[in-house]
Amino acid sequence: MNVKNKYTKLNMSHVPMILQMILNVCLVGMAAVLSALLIYETWTIFSLFFLNTDSDVSYYQFTDELLVFFLYFEFLALIIKYFEAHFHFPLRYFIYIGITAIIRLIIVDHDDAMHTFWWSLAIIALTGALFLSNARKSHGDH
């Protein structure tokens, strides 16, 4: 019975390591996909700005593409920080991504003033959370 408990404990101690490895492989795959999409988005912005002879391209379309670019960029930065911080996602990067996503939403879909107001309040709340997160971090450094 003692040998069986030792064997079970040994195998169970490997579970977090195996799951961490699976997570890391998936994140590297996601980083590759996001990198490809970031390159595609860069090409789309470049072609809208420099190669498009059609005057039908709107400011909103260009801004939308630019904000999607920054969303890809921020997700890649989040994955990089995850590995640099020894398998930890910094909270402030999620807040940056949330703020960017809401700004994109407001720019793309701003027909309803009440929805825009609520989304603006969400940005203020996220900015407050970012301030608290950074204040806690700087307070802990002293």
Side-chain angles (χ1 to χ4, degrees), residues 41 44-45 48-49 57-71 100-110:
E41 202 62 42
T44 303
I45 291 170
L48 274 176
F49 197 70
V57 176
S58 71
Y59 166 77
Y60 294 112
Q61 182 182 4
F62 178 75
T63 306
D64 180 40
E65 295 294 333
L66 190 62
L67 287 170
V68 168
F69 171 87
F70 279 112
L71 283 171
T100 304
I102 293 172
I103 290 171
R104 180 190 175 276
L105 180 69
I106 289 173
I107 289 173
V108 171
D109 185 24
H110 57 273

Side-chain angles (χ1 to χ4, degrees), residues 11 14-23:
N11 285 339
H14 292 326
V15 171
M17 185 178 68
I18 293 168
L19 291 174
Q20 185 69 55
M21 194 179 332
I22 291 169
L23 176 65

Side-chain angles (χ1 to χ4, degrees), residues 105-106 108-120:
L105 180 69
I106 289 173
V108 171
D109 185 24
H110 57 273
D111 295 335
D112 186 2
M114 205 59 197
H115 286 148
T116 304
F117 172 74
W118 290 116
W119 287 122
S120 300

